[in-house]
Amino acid sequence: MAKIKPSKGAPYARILGVGGYRPVRVVPNEVILETIDSSDEWIRSRSGIETRHWANAEETVAAMSVEASGKAIADAGIAAEQIGAVVVSTVSHFKQTPAVATEIADKLGTAKAAAFDISAGCAGFGYGLTLAKGMIVEGSAEYVLVIGVERLSELTDLEDRATAFLFGDGAGAVVVGPSTEPAIGPTVWGSEGDKSETIKQTVPWTDYRDGIVERFPAITQEGQAVFRWAVFEMAKVAKEALDAAGISAADLDVFIPHQANERIIDSMVKTLKLPESVTVARDVRTTGNTSAASIPLAMERLLATGEAKSGDTALVIGFGAGLVYAATVVTLP
């Protein structure tokens, strides 16, 4: 019986570069209030959101991804031809096939990189990061581009008082490559499909196509149920990720949770008992909830503003529709 030759990958993987793209149009709460009965004070107190970015016709999922990816590749100091795989997490690319990752890989000038999309909602970046780490350690790619990108403005019901103010558009990308020391910890991830009704698309695309409904499908959620789950269950997952990495909250420099809601972020900080010295990402205030894009966008902003620095130890955690979640500890690029 023939023996298969073992893979020869890198001993470890790390994030080498990060890039982000936010659409040109900035949308304040006042615009949202044109279609719902609420107030700026209520929106800020409930979510922390002051503004969000909405894409124009030219700022497609692919176009935003290419912009963010170009920055990440430059930040990593490599050439696009060295990218061996492109992983895109999105729920707002409206072509079932082909994967938008293939278009992005081609426009970036990769040398026929493997390319595919994943659908893991707000945990998608963590899922993609875990896949990238596996490819590099296994040896199927030397560098992997992980993109989180959304145009959630197209899936927002502007008359739904519970969600109209939440969502924004944007793209965040990281380049993951080889490392001689651990820089991406074990991932604690999973799903709770019994809670799938708490965040979902209102109706299938086929219902709209067949005229069963007249309104285009949108994202809806049970706000209180999601809040309780995120605050109590995801704090436990975050603690498990710290334990898996062999560190404590006191060892952290940065906390980058999914930018869903500032009240959730504040509650997780309190539950985890994070020291005041830990920098906490609050990109949600001006970017809104961008689902899969929120963690890399927040990471990029923290590094750009100097609130975080290269080499810092960061806990990242994403959670959302599914319900799905993914948390890990990383060394910032």
Side-chain angles (χ1 to χ4, degrees):
M1 182 181 292
K3 293 185 178 180
I4 296 174
K5 184 178 179 180
S7 301
K8 292 184 178 180
Y12 306 105
R14 69 184 304 120
I15 299 174
L16 299 174
V18 59
Y21 180 83
R22 293 172 175 81
V24 174
R25 183 187 178 194
V26 177
V27 180
N29 288 337
E30 286 72 19
V31 172
I32 307 299
L33 296 176
E34 294 173 3
T35 52
I36 61 171
D37 180 17
S38 188
S39 69
D40 177 62
E41 189 279 331
W42 187 88
I43 293 174
R44 292 181 187 231
S45 65
R46 299 287 292 181
S47 67
I49 299 172
E50 302 167 11
T51 61
R52 72 283 293 146
H53 295 255
W54 283 355
N56 61 33
E58 287 73 37
E59 292 167 321
T60 63
V61 165
M64 292 192 294
S65 296
V66 169
E67 289 291 329
S69 299
K71 295 175 184 177
I73 292 169
D75 192 41
I78 66 168
E81 293 87 347
Q82 294 175 270
I83 298 292
V86 177
V87 183
V88 178
S89 178
T90 185
V91 299
S92 48
H93 173 57
F94 296 139
K95 287 184 180 178
Q96 193 71 36
T97 191
V100 72
T102 58
E103 179 184 349
I104 295 165
D106 178 64
K107 288 184 174 178
L108 287 171
T110 67
K112 298 182 180 180
F116 58 95
D117 299 350
I118 59 175
S119 177
C122 305
F125 176 75
Y127 276 45
L129 189 63
T130 303
L131 293 173
K133 174 185 174 183
M135 290 182 224
I136 290 159
V137 173
E138 185 271 338
S140 57
E142 185 176 11
Y143 299 100
V144 179
L145 179 65
V146 180
I147 304 166
V149 57
E150 301 293 2
R151 278 177 54 117
L152 294 181
S153 57
E154 293 193 297
L155 283 171
T156 299
D157 180 353
L158 294 178
E159 296 179 2
D160 180 1
R161 190 173 184 271
T163 61
F165 58 91
L166 288 176
F167 304 116
D169 303 337
V174 298
V175 172
V176 183
S179 176
T180 56
E181 58 184 27
I184 301 176
T187 299
V188 177
W189 57 354
S191 65
E192 298 184 28
D194 60 315
K195 299 180 181 67
S196 61
E197 292 295 303
T198 55
I199 307 175
K200 64 179 182 179
Q201 183 172 304
T202 49
V203 295
W205 302 114
T206 48
D207 282 7
Y208 182 73
R209 180 200 65 190
D210 298 339
I212 298 173
V213 296
E214 295 183 357
R215 296 178 70 92
F216 193 73
I219 298 172
T220 185
Q221 69 175 30
E222 298 174 13
Q224 286 301 315
V226 172
F227 182 88
R228 288 192 298 270
W229 176 77
V231 169
F232 297 109
E233 297 304 320
M234 291 306 97
K236 297 176 186 176
V237 171
K239 180 62 168 60
E240 288 179 31
L242 290 173
D243 292 343
I247 67 172
S248 69
D251 298 315
L252 283 177
D253 300 305
V254 185
F255 178 44
I256 311 177
H258 165 48
Q259 302 294 292
N261 181 307
E262 194 165 35
R263 289 174 63 212
I264 292 175
I265 294 172
D266 288 340
S267 295
M268 290 184 72
V269 168
K270 183 178 180 180
T271 302
L272 288 169
K273 299 179 180 179
L274 296 184
E276 290 187 7
S277 59
V278 175
T279 297
V280 179
R282 299 184 184 279
D283 194 46
V284 66
R285 292 174 179 172
T286 56
T287 307
N289 181 344
T290 55
S291 188
S294 79
I295 290 175
L297 277 174
M299 183 185 295
E300 184 260 354
R301 175 162 280 173
L302 289 176
L303 290 166
T305 60
E307 296 173 81
K309 62 183 185 299
S310 175
D312 278 353
T313 300
L315 169 63
V316 299
I317 178 169
F319 44 86
L323 294 168
V324 294
Y325 55 87
T328 188
V329 175
V330 303
T331 300
L332 295 182

